[in-house]
Amino acid sequence: MKYKRILLKLSGESLMGDKQFGIDNNRIHSYALQIKEIRDMGIQIAIVIGGGNIFRGVQAEAGGMDRTHGDYMGMLATMINSMALQAALEAVGVHTRLQSAIEMKEISEPFIRRKAVRHLEKSRVVIFGAGTGNPFFTTDSAASLRAIEMNADVILKGTRVDGIYTADPEKDKMATKFKEITFDEVYAKGLNVMDLTAFTLCKENDLPIIVFDMDTPGNLKKIIEGEQVGTIVKN
Ligand code: GTP
C-alpha cells in the first residue's frame, strides 16, 4: 500500500450531485462506499469537508454581510455536511468519530489532536468539522492543518476535475493535465490548486497533495494502491 494514513478533502459542492444545492443521497452514499473500500484495506482515514453546497461566506460578504460573520456560518455548513457524511458512513458499517473545531458538544466531540490520532489507530474514520474554527481560513486550510497534525502521508483532494491542468479544462479545450508537478512550479505558473495559505502549509511541511476526480468510483482505491491517478504536487 502506497499510503497508510490519508486526509481526504471533499468539497461541499460535490455533495450536491446534480442538485442545485444541499445533499444528494446517491452521491454521499457512493462516497461512503469508496471510503469504506479503502478503510477495509486498513488505511487510516481523516476527512475534511467544505460547506459551499449550503452556505458560502464569500457570497454573503458580497451581499453586505460582515466577512467574519459569513465565515462562521460557513463553518456551521461544514458541520451539516460532516454529520451527513458520518451518517452515510455508519449506514455502510464504518465506525466514525466527528470532531468539531467549534465546540458543540451535544452533536460532536471537540477537536482534540491526541484523541483523533487514537481514533485513527483504532480504524475509525475521523471527520473534522467546522474548518479551522477561525474566519478567513478555508476548509482547504483546515485540511492542510489537520493533515499535518495527524501526520498524514498525503492529502487527497477530491474534485470534479481529474487533476491539475495547464488551464481550466472546462473553459479551454487545449488544456493538458500534469501527472506530477512541484509546489514551486504551481506558484510560478500561477495555477489554482488550493488557496495559498493551505498550499504553503503543505509545501513547508513537505506534505504531498493529490488532486483527483472523486466522482469516478474506484479512483480512491487506485491511488492507495499506487496507481497514477490525477495530479500529484510535491517538493
Ligand atoms: P475510546 O474508548 O477512547 O477508544 O474512544 P471512544 O470515542 O469510543 O470513547 P468515548 O467514551 O470518548 O466516546 C464514546 C462516544 O461518545 C463516541 O461516539 C464519541 O464520538 C462520543 N463522544 C465523546 N465525546 C463527546 C462529546 O464531547 N460530545 C458528543 N456529542 N459526543 C462525544
Side-chain angles (χ1 to χ4, degrees):
M1 237 58 84
K2 183 130 194 238
Y3 303 106
K4 180 140 186 22
R5 180 177 293 176
I6 61 144
L7 189 136
L8 176 65
K9 164 73 206 309
L10 298 172
S11 79
E13 282 88 352
S14 66
L15 291 189
M16 292 190 292
D18 297 327
K19 295 170 56 169
Q20 294 304 107
F21 86 103
I23 298 167
D24 179 69
N25 290 331
N26 293 329
R27 176 57 56 80
I28 203 165
H29 176 65
S30 146
Y31 284 178
L33 290 176
Q34 290 179 70
I35 294 162
K36 178 182 164 61
E37 190 168 43
I38 63 165
R39 195 284 314 258
D40 291 347
M41 292 161 71
I43 307 305
Q44 298 181 4
I45 307 156
I47 302 176
V48 168
I49 185 157
N53 54 324
I54 297 169
F55 190 82
R56 300 198 130 272
V58 177
Q59 273 162 19
E61 189 183 27
M65 191 189 286
D66 188 54
R67 167 75 191 266
T68 49
H69 197 83
D71 280 352
Y72 279 114
M73 290 173 71
M75 291 178 229
L76 296 182
T78 72
M79 279 301 282
I80 292 178
N81 286 337
S82 296
M83 289 177 73
L85 186 61
Q86 178 175 39
L89 283 166
E90 303 227 314
V92 296
V94 176
H95 292 296
T96 66
R97 291 292 184 268
L98 170 59
Q99 292 198 344
S100 171
I102 296 176
E103 199 172 304
M104 29 188 122
K105 65 181 186 321
E106 286 77 5
I107 53 172
S108 159
E109 296 180 20
F111 171 66
I112 299 172
R113 191 187 73 84
R114 294 175 64 113
K115 204 164 160 66
V117 170
R118 285 295 290 148
H119 289 324
L120 292 175
E121 288 167 355
K122 290 180 180 176
S123 306
R124 297 164 181 156
V125 172
V126 180
I127 305 169
F128 295 115
T132 66
N134 299 293
F136 297 102
F137 291 92
T138 61
T139 46
D140 278 346
S141 289
S144 309
L145 179 63
R146 296 298 183 234
I148 293 160
E149 289 183 283
M150 295 299 114
N151 281 318
D153 303 318
V154 66
I155 293 191
L156 305 181
K157 184 175 154 93
T159 62
R160 284 181 305 164
V161 195
D162 65 343
I164 302 168
Y165 283 75
T166 48
D168 184 346
E170 287 177 354
K171 290 181 192 138
D172 184 349
K173 291 274 164 293
M174 300 299 282
T176 54
K177 189 172 92 179
F178 297 100
K179 281 187 174 153
E180 203 176 302
I181 190 167
T182 65
F183 285 98
D184 289 335
E185 283 174 296
V186 170
Y187 286 119
K189 295 182 199 295
L191 299 171
N192 185 16
V193 178
M194 283 180 170
D195 66 275
L196 285 179
T197 309
F199 192 74
T200 303
L201 207 52
C202 292
K203 175 181 163 52
E204 288 180 346
N205 290 280
D206 206 16
L207 178 70
I209 307 164
I210 296 178
V211 178
F212 74 107
D213 167 20
M214 179 74 189
D215 296 344
T216 303
N219 270 354
L220 198 54
K221 181 164 178 253
K222 285 184 187 162
I223 292 173
I224 298 299
E225 288 173 336
E227 251 187 75
Q228 205 282 318
V229 171
T231 302
I232 185 162
V233 188
K234 52 189 188 185
N235 273 318

